[in-house]
Amino acid sequence: MASSSIKKGLTYEFKKGLWTENAVIKLLLGMCPALAVSNSATNGLAMGLASTFVVMSASTFVSIIRRIVPKEVRIPTYIVIIAGFVTLADLFLKAYFPPISKSLGPYVPLIVVNCMIMGRAEFFASKHTIPPSLADALGTGLGFTWVLVLMGAIREVLGSGAIFGYVFMGEDVFTPWVVMILPAGAFITLGLLIGFINFATSRKSSKGACS
Amino acid sequence: MTILLVFISAAIVNNLVLAYFLGICPFLGVSKRLDTAVNMGLATTFVMTLAAVITWLINNLILIPYNLPFLQNVSYIITIASLVQLVEMFIRKTSPTLYRSLGIFLPLIVTNCAILGLTLFAALKEYSFMESLFYGIGGGAGFTLALVIMAGIREELEFADVPKSLQGAPMTLLIAGMLSLAFMGFAGLLSV
């Protein structure tokens, strides 16, 4: 598998994360943040970009040290690497975007246990050189980001008649569906979104369970 | 009194799975059968309680006195990972029966975001030692509750005629949405 995917080139590694192996809608990885912070498009975007940064840095780093780390301790090593970059992202958001950091709350440190990032480190970066690992991580990160922004946009439009914080449907023309910004709305939106994508592609969904 | 409030809040009102979306992976992955769901819930509760206590000690005895809060993420995740390893070795030595029923779930618990999430929330809310302990137990009980309800529904669901494109994860998510709505009924119960 490893050798064949190298031959397919960097564009393939980048593109597969966007659709065919999309972390959230196809592999069902990284569900916690996808559900938790998609209550507005802005939060989704911030979370997506922060995760993209972490997955790219972690994959690059894991790829660099892949020959040095003994096989037995690789999982703890990867977790510490990921936790390091997550702390970086957390401090960066706190310093430069305090409102976003505040609304994301402990979900930024929780990027550590996002199984999508661990998955990329374990299944891809630990077996490949830096360029394909970076392309793979970028694709995965951006694939994660677009799903989060889409879900955030759906929930924000239906739940508060706004998009990216800009209210375009006032209370007088549209009664917001409060349920959409509540936790229940997240489950229902993602369930219907995956169902719709399954329906549109008419393919059986990949088996559940991650990590 | 506050301890009881913390417990009920963590178990029911602010259920980790249905209100904070923590531990969704095992929630979707191991909720197919009732007995595995119960075992997974118990194993998670056990680790969660220990993790809540130990991370409280680390936070209040090491990180805060020495002004090292930026090490919180790293130290918490290392604590949880090594804790799970310890628990696994301990159970394997002492009770092979328990090991057989819980063993395969233990490695999964490391990446269960409910545990790291719970410890981070406990630190954020600046709980006392006893409150952290009961927050851990309550969080575990809430996780088990959600998992068991879900498994019960999914066992029944095998006889239902689910549209093809909704089979599997999408249907589970929709049911979780309904459960979350139901749990919102507890929202006014208390405010912690």
Side-chain angles (χ1 to χ4, degrees), chain A residues 161-199:
Chain A
I163 185 127
F164 286 107
Y166 170 72
V167 182
F168 65 98
M169 288 191 293
E171 299 262 340
D172 45 332
V173 286
F174 175 75
T175 311
W177 305 0
V178 183
V179 68
M180 293 309 284
I181 40 175
L182 292 173
F187 285 113
I188 296 170
T189 310
L190 188 59
L192 289 179
L193 187 67
I194 296 178
F196 177 74
I197 287 167
N198 285 345
F199 177 72

PDB file of all heavy atoms in Angstrom, chain A residues 161-199:
ATOM      1  N   GLY A 161     -30.143  32.514  11.870  1.00  0.00           N
ATOM      2  CA  GLY A 161     -30.375  33.373  10.705  1.00  0.00           C
ATOM      3  C   GLY A 161     -29.182  34.230  10.332  1.00  0.00           C
ATOM      4  O   GLY A 161     -29.327  35.327   9.824  1.00  0.00           O
ATOM      5  N   ALA A 162     -27.993  33.708  10.589  1.00  0.00           N
ATOM      6  CA  ALA A 162     -26.799  34.502  10.310  1.00  0.00           C
ATOM      7  C   ALA A 162     -25.753  33.611   9.649  1.00  0.00           C
ATOM      8  O   ALA A 162     -25.885  32.383   9.635  1.00  0.00           O
ATOM      9  CB  ALA A 162     -26.230  35.082  11.602  1.00  0.00           C
ATOM     10  N   ILE A 163     -24.728  34.253   9.061  1.00  0.00           N
ATOM     11  CA  ILE A 163     -23.601  33.477   8.555  1.00  0.00           C
ATOM     12  C   ILE A 163     -22.316  34.242   8.837  1.00  0.00           C
ATOM     13  O   ILE A 163     -22.254  35.445   8.589  1.00  0.00           O
ATOM     14  CB  ILE A 163     -23.764  33.119   7.061  1.00  0.00           C
ATOM     15  CG1 ILE A 163     -22.640  32.215   6.604  1.00  0.00           C
ATOM     16  CG2 ILE A 163     -23.816  34.365   6.176  1.00  0.00           C
ATOM     17  CD1 ILE A 163     -23.130  30.986   5.943  1.00  0.00           C
ATOM     18  N   PHE A 164     -21.307  33.586   9.382  1.00  0.00           N
ATOM     19  CA  PHE A 164     -20.074  34.219   9.846  1.00  0.00           C
ATOM     20  C   PHE A 164     -20.398  35.410  10.750  1.00  0.00           C
ATOM     21  O   PHE A 164     -19.752  36.448  10.674  1.00  0.00           O
ATOM     22  CB  PHE A 164     -19.185  34.643   8.673  1.00  0.00           C
ATOM     23  CG  PHE A 164     -18.502  33.475   8.014  1.00  0.00           C
ATOM     24  CD1 PHE A 164     -18.916  33.036   6.761  1.00  0.00           C
ATOM     25  CD2 PHE A 164     -17.473  32.791   8.643  1.00  0.00           C
ATOM     26  CE1 PHE A 164     -18.302  31.947   6.158  1.00  0.00           C
ATOM     27  CE2 PHE A 164     -16.855  31.709   8.044  1.00  0.00           C
ATOM     28  CZ  PHE A 164     -17.274  31.285   6.807  1.00  0.00           C
ATOM     29  N   GLY A 165     -21.442  35.280  11.566  1.00  0.00           N
ATOM     30  CA  GLY A 165     -21.800  36.334  12.504  1.00  0.00           C
ATOM     31  C   GLY A 165     -22.618  37.462  11.897  1.00  0.00           C
ATOM     32  O   GLY A 165     -23.074  38.355  12.592  1.00  0.00           O
ATOM     33  N   TYR A 166     -22.812  37.447  10.535  1.00  0.00           N
ATOM     34  CA  TYR A 166     -23.564  38.519   9.889  1.00  0.00           C
ATOM     35  C   TYR A 166     -25.032  38.102   9.767  1.00  0.00           C
ATOM     36  O   TYR A 166     -25.359  37.131   9.074  1.00  0.00           O
ATOM     37  CB  TYR A 166     -22.968  38.809   8.507  1.00  0.00           C
ATOM     38  CG  TYR A 166     -23.803  39.730   7.663  1.00  0.00           C
ATOM     39  CD1 TYR A 166     -23.885  41.093   7.958  1.00  0.00           C
ATOM     40  CD2 TYR A 166     -24.521  39.255   6.568  1.00  0.00           C
ATOM     41  CE1 TYR A 166     -24.660  41.937   7.192  1.00  0.00           C
ATOM     42  CE2 TYR A 166     -25.296  40.096   5.797  1.00  0.00           C
ATOM     43  CZ  TYR A 166     -25.362  41.440   6.120  1.00  0.00           C
ATOM     44  OH  TYR A 166     -26.130  42.280   5.359  1.00  0.00           O
ATOM     45  N   VAL A 167     -25.929  38.808  10.461  1.00  0.00           N
ATOM     46  CA  VAL A 167     -27.348  38.463  10.460  1.00  0.00           C
ATOM     47  C   VAL A 167     -27.984  38.955   9.163  1.00  0.00           C
ATOM     48  O   VAL A 167     -27.986  40.148   8.886  1.00  0.00           O
ATOM     49  CB  VAL A 167     -28.067  39.091  11.667  1.00  0.00           C
ATOM     50  CG1 VAL A 167     -29.532  38.690  11.673  1.00  0.00           C
ATOM     51  CG2 VAL A 167     -27.388  38.679  12.953  1.00  0.00           C
ATOM     52  N   PHE A 168     -28.474  38.016   8.342  1.00  0.00           N
ATOM     53  CA  PHE A 168     -29.141  38.446   7.113  1.00  0.00           C
ATOM     54  C   PHE A 168     -30.635  38.130   7.136  1.00  0.00           C
ATOM     55  O   PHE A 168     -31.366  38.543   6.252  1.00  0.00           O
ATOM     56  CB  PHE A 168     -28.466  37.836   5.878  1.00  0.00           C
ATOM     57  CG  PHE A 168     -28.577  36.343   5.791  1.00  0.00           C
ATOM     58  CD1 PHE A 168     -29.563  35.753   5.000  1.00  0.00           C
ATOM     59  CD2 PHE A 168     -27.702  35.538   6.480  1.00  0.00           C
ATOM     60  CE1 PHE A 168     -29.658  34.381   4.928  1.00  0.00           C
ATOM     61  CE2 PHE A 168     -27.799  34.167   6.410  1.00  0.00           C
ATOM     62  CZ  PHE A 168     -28.779  33.588   5.635  1.00  0.00           C
ATOM     63  N   MET A 169     -31.092  37.347   8.132  1.00  0.00           N
ATOM     64  CA  MET A 169     -32.518  37.115   8.268  1.00  0.00           C
ATOM     65  C   MET A 169     -32.908  37.530   9.684  1.00  0.00           C
ATOM     66  O   MET A 169     -32.542  36.861  10.651  1.00  0.00           O
ATOM     67  CB  MET A 169     -32.853  35.641   8.046  1.00  0.00           C
ATOM     68  CG  MET A 169     -32.718  35.202   6.605  1.00  0.00           C
ATOM     69  SD  MET A 169     -33.403  33.568   6.306  1.00  0.00           S
ATOM     70  CE  MET A 169     -32.301  32.537   7.229  1.00  0.00           C
ATOM     71  N   GLY A 170     -33.584  38.628   9.812  1.00  0.00           N
ATOM     72  CA  GLY A 170     -33.968  39.124  11.126  1.00  0.00           C
ATOM     73  C   GLY A 170     -35.053  38.266  11.741  1.00  0.00           C
ATOM     74  O   GLY A 170     -35.622  37.375  11.084  1.00  0.00           O
ATOM     75  N   GLU A 171     -35.355  38.511  13.008  1.00  0.00           N
ATOM     76  CA  GLU A 171     -36.382  37.749  13.718  1.00  0.00           C
ATOM     77  C   GLU A 171     -37.752  37.920  13.069  1.00  0.00           C
ATOM     78  O   GLU A 171     -38.625  37.076  13.197  1.00  0.00           O
ATOM     79  CB  GLU A 171     -36.450  38.221  15.182  1.00  0.00           C
ATOM     80  CG  GLU A 171     -35.169  38.023  15.959  1.00  0.00           C
ATOM     81  CD  GLU A 171     -35.211  36.757  16.793  1.00  0.00           C
ATOM     82  OE1 GLU A 171     -36.312  36.271  17.054  1.00  0.00           O
ATOM     83  OE2 GLU A 171     -34.124  36.279  17.162  1.00  0.00           O
ATOM     84  N   ASP A 172     -37.955  39.077  12.364  1.00  0.00           N
ATOM     85  CA  ASP A 172     -39.277  39.357  11.805  1.00  0.00           C
ATOM     86  C   ASP A 172     -39.594  38.500  10.592  1.00  0.00           C
ATOM     87  O   ASP A 172     -40.762  38.205  10.334  1.00  0.00           O
ATOM     88  CB  ASP A 172     -39.403  40.858  11.470  1.00  0.00           C
ATOM     89  CG  ASP A 172     -38.166  41.377  10.745  1.00  0.00           C
ATOM     90  OD1 ASP A 172     -37.076  40.807  10.977  1.00  0.00           O
ATOM     91  OD2 ASP A 172     -38.278  42.326   9.955  1.00  0.00           O
ATOM     92  N   VAL A 173     -38.578  38.117   9.815  1.00  0.00           N
ATOM     93  CA  VAL A 173     -38.875  37.299   8.635  1.00  0.00           C
ATOM     94  C   VAL A 173     -38.645  35.808   8.879  1.00  0.00           C
ATOM     95  O   VAL A 173     -39.186  34.966   8.167  1.00  0.00           O
ATOM     96  CB  VAL A 173     -38.037  37.727   7.411  1.00  0.00           C
ATOM     97  CG1 VAL A 173     -38.558  39.036   6.855  1.00  0.00           C
ATOM     98  CG2 VAL A 173     -36.571  37.822   7.766  1.00  0.00           C
ATOM     99  N   PHE A 174     -37.836  35.468   9.875  1.00  0.00           N
ATOM    100  CA  PHE A 174     -37.448  34.070  10.047  1.00  0.00           C
ATOM    101  C   PHE A 174     -37.316  33.753  11.525  1.00  0.00           C
ATOM    102  O   PHE A 174     -36.566  34.409  12.240  1.00  0.00           O
ATOM    103  CB  PHE A 174     -36.116  33.820   9.333  1.00  0.00           C
ATOM    104  CG  PHE A 174     -35.555  32.440   9.541  1.00  0.00           C
ATOM    105  CD1 PHE A 174     -36.111  31.345   8.888  1.00  0.00           C
ATOM    106  CD2 PHE A 174     -34.460  32.243  10.385  1.00  0.00           C
ATOM    107  CE1 PHE A 174     -35.580  30.084   9.087  1.00  0.00           C
ATOM    108  CE2 PHE A 174     -33.940  30.975  10.573  1.00  0.00           C
ATOM    109  CZ  PHE A 174     -34.505  29.900   9.916  1.00  0.00           C
ATOM    110  N   THR A 175     -38.092  32.789  12.001  1.00  0.00           N
ATOM    111  CA  THR A 175     -37.966  32.377  13.386  1.00  0.00           C
ATOM    112  C   THR A 175     -36.849  31.352  13.487  1.00  0.00           C
ATOM    113  O   THR A 175     -36.949  30.280  12.891  1.00  0.00           O
ATOM    114  CB  THR A 175     -39.271  31.745  13.897  1.00  0.00           C
ATOM    115  OG1 THR A 175     -40.342  32.608  13.552  1.00  0.00           O
ATOM    116  CG2 THR A 175     -39.217  31.531  15.380  1.00  0.00           C
ATOM    117  N   PRO A 176     -35.756  31.673  14.184  1.00  0.00           N
ATOM    118  CA  PRO A 176     -34.615  30.741  14.231  1.00  0.00           C
ATOM    119  C   PRO A 176     -35.000  29.407  14.859  1.00  0.00           C
ATOM    120  O   PRO A 176     -35.799  29.371  15.791  1.00  0.00           O
ATOM    121  CB  PRO A 176     -33.607  31.473  15.126  1.00  0.00           C
ATOM    122  CG  PRO A 176     -34.047  32.873  15.175  1.00  0.00           C
ATOM    123  CD  PRO A 176     -35.525  32.877  14.969  1.00  0.00           C
ATOM    124  N   TRP A 177     -34.440  28.333  14.306  1.00  0.00           N
ATOM    125  CA  TRP A 177     -34.638  26.999  14.891  1.00  0.00           C
ATOM    126  C   TRP A 177     -33.591  26.853  15.989  1.00  0.00           C
ATOM    127  O   TRP A 177     -32.483  26.403  15.727  1.00  0.00           O
ATOM    128  CB  TRP A 177     -34.439  25.909  13.872  1.00  0.00           C
ATOM    129  CG  TRP A 177     -35.275  26.041  12.635  1.00  0.00           C
ATOM    130  CD1 TRP A 177     -36.187  27.020  12.341  1.00  0.00           C
ATOM    131  CD2 TRP A 177     -35.270  25.155  11.525  1.00  0.00           C
ATOM    132  NE1 TRP A 177     -36.744  26.797  11.110  1.00  0.00           N
ATOM    133  CE2 TRP A 177     -36.197  25.662  10.595  1.00  0.00           C
ATOM    134  CE3 TRP A 177     -34.573  23.992  11.234  1.00  0.00           C
ATOM    135  CZ2 TRP A 177     -36.445  25.031   9.376  1.00  0.00           C
ATOM    136  CZ3 TRP A 177     -34.817  23.363  10.021  1.00  0.00           C
ATOM    137  CH2 TRP A 177     -35.753  23.885   9.117  1.00  0.00           C
ATOM    138  N   VAL A 178     -33.997  27.175  17.203  1.00  0.00           N
ATOM    139  CA  VAL A 178     -33.016  27.186  18.292  1.00  0.00           C
ATOM    140  C   VAL A 178     -32.315  25.834  18.431  1.00  0.00           C
ATOM    141  O   VAL A 178     -31.137  25.757  18.760  1.00  0.00           O
ATOM    142  CB  VAL A 178     -33.691  27.573  19.621  1.00  0.00           C
ATOM    143  CG1 VAL A 178     -32.672  27.657  20.738  1.00  0.00           C
ATOM    144  CG2 VAL A 178     -34.402  28.902  19.470  1.00  0.00           C
ATOM    145  N   VAL A 179     -33.042  24.769  18.125  1.00  0.00           N
ATOM    146  CA  VAL A 179     -32.472  23.428  18.306  1.00  0.00           C
ATOM    147  C   VAL A 179     -31.182  23.253  17.504  1.00  0.00           C
ATOM    148  O   VAL A 179     -30.298  22.500  17.893  1.00  0.00           O
ATOM    149  CB  VAL A 179     -33.516  22.352  17.943  1.00  0.00           C
ATOM    150  CG1 VAL A 179     -33.810  22.357  16.464  1.00  0.00           C
ATOM    151  CG2 VAL A 179     -33.053  20.993  18.384  1.00  0.00           C
ATOM    152  N   MET A 180     -31.047  23.977  16.381  1.00  0.00           N
ATOM    153  CA  MET A 180     -29.877  23.767  15.527  1.00  0.00           C
ATOM    154  C   MET A 180     -28.579  24.194  16.201  1.00  0.00           C
ATOM    155  O   MET A 180     -27.520  23.637  15.908  1.00  0.00           O
ATOM    156  CB  MET A 180     -30.037  24.522  14.203  1.00  0.00           C
ATOM    157  CG  MET A 180     -31.130  23.978  13.319  1.00  0.00           C
ATOM    158  SD  MET A 180     -31.034  22.211  13.055  1.00  0.00           S
ATOM    159  CE  MET A 180     -29.685  22.135  11.897  1.00  0.00           C
ATOM    160  N   ILE A 181     -28.613  25.218  17.069  1.00  0.00           N
ATOM    161  CA  ILE A 181     -27.357  25.599  17.724  1.00  0.00           C
ATOM    162  C   ILE A 181     -27.148  24.838  19.032  1.00  0.00           C
ATOM    163  O   ILE A 181     -26.106  24.912  19.634  1.00  0.00           O
ATOM    164  CB  ILE A 181     -27.219  27.130  17.956  1.00  0.00           C
ATOM    165  CG1 ILE A 181     -28.540  27.726  18.400  1.00  0.00           C
ATOM    166  CG2 ILE A 181     -26.690  27.817  16.728  1.00  0.00           C
ATOM    167  CD1 ILE A 181     -28.430  29.189  18.748  1.00  0.00           C
ATOM    168  N   LEU A 182     -28.151  24.067  19.440  1.00  0.00           N
ATOM    169  CA  LEU A 182     -27.994  23.230  20.635  1.00  0.00           C
ATOM    170  C   LEU A 182     -27.315  21.914  20.240  1.00  0.00           C
ATOM    171  O   LEU A 182     -27.230  21.591  19.058  1.00  0.00           O
ATOM    172  CB  LEU A 182     -29.367  22.958  21.241  1.00  0.00           C
ATOM    173  CG  LEU A 182     -30.061  24.192  21.839  1.00  0.00           C
ATOM    174  CD1 LEU A 182     -31.467  23.855  22.242  1.00  0.00           C
ATOM    175  CD2 LEU A 182     -29.257  24.736  22.993  1.00  0.00           C
ATOM    176  N   PRO A 183     -26.826  21.163  21.231  1.00  0.00           N
ATOM    177  CA  PRO A 183     -26.142  19.895  20.908  1.00  0.00           C
ATOM    178  C   PRO A 183     -26.943  18.980  19.991  1.00  0.00           C
ATOM    179  O   PRO A 183     -26.391  18.386  19.065  1.00  0.00           O
ATOM    180  CB  PRO A 183     -25.946  19.264  22.281  1.00  0.00           C
ATOM    181  CG  PRO A 183     -25.869  20.397  23.214  1.00  0.00           C
ATOM    182  CD  PRO A 183     -26.760  21.475  22.675  1.00  0.00           C
ATOM    183  N   ALA A 184     -28.264  18.888  20.231  1.00  0.00           N
ATOM    184  CA  ALA A 184     -29.066  17.979  19.416  1.00  0.00           C
ATOM    185  C   ALA A 184     -28.947  18.313  17.935  1.00  0.00           C
ATOM    186  O   ALA A 184     -28.879  17.431  17.080  1.00  0.00           O
ATOM    187  CB  ALA A 184     -30.525  18.041  19.868  1.00  0.00           C
ATOM    188  N   GLY A 185     -28.893  19.615  17.615  1.00  0.00           N
ATOM    189  CA  GLY A 185     -28.800  20.044  16.227  1.00  0.00           C
ATOM    190  C   GLY A 185     -27.541  19.528  15.562  1.00  0.00           C
ATOM    191  O   GLY A 185     -27.536  19.203  14.371  1.00  0.00           O
ATOM    192  N   ALA A 186     -26.446  19.450  16.336  1.00  0.00           N
ATOM    193  CA  ALA A 186     -25.182  18.980  15.768  1.00  0.00           C
ATOM    194  C   ALA A 186     -25.289  17.530  15.314  1.00  0.00           C
ATOM    195  O   ALA A 186     -24.905  17.174  14.201  1.00  0.00           O
ATOM    196  CB  ALA A 186     -24.071  19.121  16.804  1.00  0.00           C
ATOM    197  N   PHE A 187     -25.866  16.687  16.200  1.00  0.00           N
ATOM    198  CA  PHE A 187     -26.004  15.273  15.854  1.00  0.00           C
ATOM    199  C   PHE A 187     -26.879  15.115  14.609  1.00  0.00           C
ATOM    200  O   PHE A 187     -26.549  14.368  13.685  1.00  0.00           O
ATOM    201  CB  PHE A 187     -26.649  14.507  17.017  1.00  0.00           C
ATOM    202  CG  PHE A 187     -25.738  14.265  18.180  1.00  0.00           C
ATOM    203  CD1 PHE A 187     -25.958  14.870  19.401  1.00  0.00           C
ATOM    204  CD2 PHE A 187     -24.656  13.418  18.050  1.00  0.00           C
ATOM    205  CE1 PHE A 187     -25.130  14.641  20.478  1.00  0.00           C
ATOM    206  CE2 PHE A 187     -23.816  13.177  19.121  1.00  0.00           C
ATOM    207  CZ  PHE A 187     -24.056  13.794  20.338  1.00  0.00           C
ATOM    208  N   ILE A 188     -28.020  15.850  14.602  1.00  0.00           N
ATOM    209  CA  ILE A 188     -28.964  15.695  13.501  1.00  0.00           C
ATOM    210  C   ILE A 188     -28.363  16.203  12.198  1.00  0.00           C
ATOM    211  O   ILE A 188     -28.452  15.542  11.158  1.00  0.00           O
ATOM    212  CB  ILE A 188     -30.281  16.416  13.853  1.00  0.00           C
ATOM    213  CG1 ILE A 188     -30.925  15.733  15.067  1.00  0.00           C
ATOM    214  CG2 ILE A 188     -31.226  16.409  12.670  1.00  0.00           C
ATOM    215  CD1 ILE A 188     -32.094  16.474  15.659  1.00  0.00           C
ATOM    216  N   THR A 189     -27.674  17.374  12.260  1.00  0.00           N
ATOM    217  CA  THR A 189     -27.068  17.905  11.041  1.00  0.00           C
ATOM    218  C   THR A 189     -26.052  16.931  10.460  1.00  0.00           C
ATOM    219  O   THR A 189     -26.086  16.628   9.267  1.00  0.00           O
ATOM    220  CB  THR A 189     -26.363  19.251  11.328  1.00  0.00           C
ATOM    221  OG1 THR A 189     -27.267  20.101  12.023  1.00  0.00           O
ATOM    222  CG2 THR A 189     -25.910  19.919  10.048  1.00  0.00           C
ATOM    223  N   LEU A 190     -25.144  16.433  11.318  1.00  0.00           N
ATOM    224  CA  LEU A 190     -24.101  15.538  10.805  1.00  0.00           C
ATOM    225  C   LEU A 190     -24.712  14.233  10.303  1.00  0.00           C
ATOM    226  O   LEU A 190     -24.320  13.721   9.249  1.00  0.00           O
ATOM    227  CB  LEU A 190     -23.044  15.272  11.876  1.00  0.00           C
ATOM    228  CG  LEU A 190     -21.821  14.505  11.384  1.00  0.00           C
ATOM    229  CD1 LEU A 190     -21.134  15.258  10.260  1.00  0.00           C
ATOM    230  CD2 LEU A 190     -20.825  14.264  12.495  1.00  0.00           C
ATOM    231  N   GLY A 191     -25.715  13.706  11.034  1.00  0.00           N
ATOM    232  CA  GLY A 191     -26.371  12.473  10.598  1.00  0.00           C
ATOM    233  C   GLY A 191     -26.992  12.634   9.231  1.00  0.00           C
ATOM    234  O   GLY A 191     -26.793  11.804   8.333  1.00  0.00           O
ATOM    235  N   LEU A 192     -27.741  13.731   9.049  1.00  0.00           N
ATOM    236  CA  LEU A 192     -28.396  13.951   7.762  1.00  0.00           C
ATOM    237  C   LEU A 192     -27.379  14.246   6.663  1.00  0.00           C
ATOM    238  O   LEU A 192     -27.536  13.817   5.527  1.00  0.00           O
ATOM    239  CB  LEU A 192     -29.397  15.103   7.877  1.00  0.00           C
ATOM    240  CG  LEU A 192     -30.654  14.785   8.691  1.00  0.00           C
ATOM    241  CD1 LEU A 192     -31.562  15.996   8.762  1.00  0.00           C
ATOM    242  CD2 LEU A 192     -31.416  13.609   8.089  1.00  0.00           C
ATOM    243  N   LEU A 193     -26.296  14.971   7.033  1.00  0.00           N
ATOM    244  CA  LEU A 193     -25.267  15.302   6.036  1.00  0.00           C
ATOM    245  C   LEU A 193     -24.607  14.030   5.511  1.00  0.00           C
ATOM    246  O   LEU A 193     -24.487  13.831   4.295  1.00  0.00           O
ATOM    247  CB  LEU A 193     -24.227  16.233   6.670  1.00  0.00           C
ATOM    248  CG  LEU A 193     -23.165  16.807   5.737  1.00  0.00           C
ATOM    249  CD1 LEU A 193     -23.809  17.764   4.755  1.00  0.00           C
ATOM    250  CD2 LEU A 193     -22.088  17.531   6.527  1.00  0.00           C
ATOM    251  N   ILE A 194     -24.208  13.142   6.426  1.00  0.00           N
ATOM    252  CA  ILE A 194     -23.576  11.887   5.993  1.00  0.00           C
ATOM    253  C   ILE A 194     -24.579  11.060   5.206  1.00  0.00           C
ATOM    254  O   ILE A 194     -24.257  10.489   4.157  1.00  0.00           O
ATOM    255  CB  ILE A 194     -23.038  11.102   7.209  1.00  0.00           C
ATOM    256  CG1 ILE A 194     -21.937  11.890   7.907  1.00  0.00           C
ATOM    257  CG2 ILE A 194     -22.485   9.751   6.763  1.00  0.00           C
ATOM    258  CD1 ILE A 194     -21.384  11.219   9.136  1.00  0.00           C
ATOM    259  N   GLY A 195     -25.827  11.020   5.699  1.00  0.00           N
ATOM    260  CA  GLY A 195     -26.862  10.279   4.986  1.00  0.00           C
ATOM    261  C   GLY A 195     -27.068  10.811   3.587  1.00  0.00           C
ATOM    262  O   GLY A 195     -27.162  10.051   2.614  1.00  0.00           O
ATOM    263  N   PHE A 196     -27.082  12.146   3.445  1.00  0.00           N
ATOM    264  CA  PHE A 196     -27.288  12.755   2.136  1.00  0.00           C
ATOM    265  C   PHE A 196     -26.129  12.431   1.207  1.00  0.00           C
ATOM    266  O   PHE A 196     -26.319  12.102   0.033  1.00  0.00           O
ATOM    267  CB  PHE A 196     -27.441  14.276   2.289  1.00  0.00           C
ATOM    268  CG  PHE A 196     -27.582  14.987   0.984  1.00  0.00           C
ATOM    269  CD1 PHE A 196     -28.768  14.921   0.267  1.00  0.00           C
ATOM    270  CD2 PHE A 196     -26.523  15.709   0.450  1.00  0.00           C
ATOM    271  CE1 PHE A 196     -28.893  15.565  -0.956  1.00  0.00           C
ATOM    272  CE2 PHE A 196     -26.635  16.348  -0.769  1.00  0.00           C
ATOM    273  CZ  PHE A 196     -27.831  16.277  -1.480  1.00  0.00           C
ATOM    274  N   ILE A 197     -24.900  12.506   1.760  1.00  0.00           N
ATOM    275  CA  ILE A 197     -23.733  12.215   0.922  1.00  0.00           C
ATOM    276  C   ILE A 197     -23.733  10.752   0.496  1.00  0.00           C
ATOM    277  O   ILE A 197     -23.439  10.428  -0.656  1.00  0.00           O
ATOM    278  CB  ILE A 197     -22.434  12.609   1.662  1.00  0.00           C
ATOM    279  CG1 ILE A 197     -22.330  14.136   1.681  1.00  0.00           C
ATOM    280  CG2 ILE A 197     -21.210  12.013   0.997  1.00  0.00           C
ATOM    281  CD1 ILE A 197     -21.306  14.693   2.604  1.00  0.00           C
ATOM    282  N   ASN A 198     -24.126   9.858   1.435  1.00  0.00           N
ATOM    283  CA  ASN A 198     -24.259   8.444   1.067  1.00  0.00           C
ATOM    284  C   ASN A 198     -25.288   8.268  -0.035  1.00  0.00           C
ATOM    285  O   ASN A 198     -25.092   7.505  -0.979  1.00  0.00           O
ATOM    286  CB  ASN A 198     -24.710   7.613   2.275  1.00  0.00           C
ATOM    287  CG  ASN A 198     -23.592   7.397   3.249  1.00  0.00           C
ATOM    288  OD1 ASN A 198     -22.431   7.621   2.928  1.00  0.00           O
ATOM    289  ND2 ASN A 198     -23.935   6.976   4.445  1.00  0.00           N
ATOM    290  N   PHE A 199     -26.391   8.993   0.119  1.00  0.00           N
ATOM    291  CA  PHE A 199     -27.465   8.886  -0.864  1.00  0.00           C
ATOM    292  C   PHE A 199     -26.982   9.392  -2.212  1.00  0.00           C
ATOM    293  O   PHE A 199     -27.204   8.772  -3.255  1.00  0.00           O
ATOM    294  CB  PHE A 199     -28.675   9.698  -0.381  1.00  0.00           C
ATOM    295  CG  PHE A 199     -29.814   9.712  -1.341  1.00  0.00           C
ATOM    296  CD1 PHE A 199     -30.583   8.571  -1.534  1.00  0.00           C
ATOM    297  CD2 PHE A 199     -30.119  10.860  -2.057  1.00  0.00           C
ATOM    298  CE1 PHE A 199     -31.631   8.580  -2.424  1.00  0.00           C
ATOM    299  CE2 PHE A 199     -31.168  10.873  -2.943  1.00  0.00           C
ATOM    300  CZ  PHE A 199     -31.931   9.732  -3.143  1.00  0.00           C
TER     301      PHE A 199
END
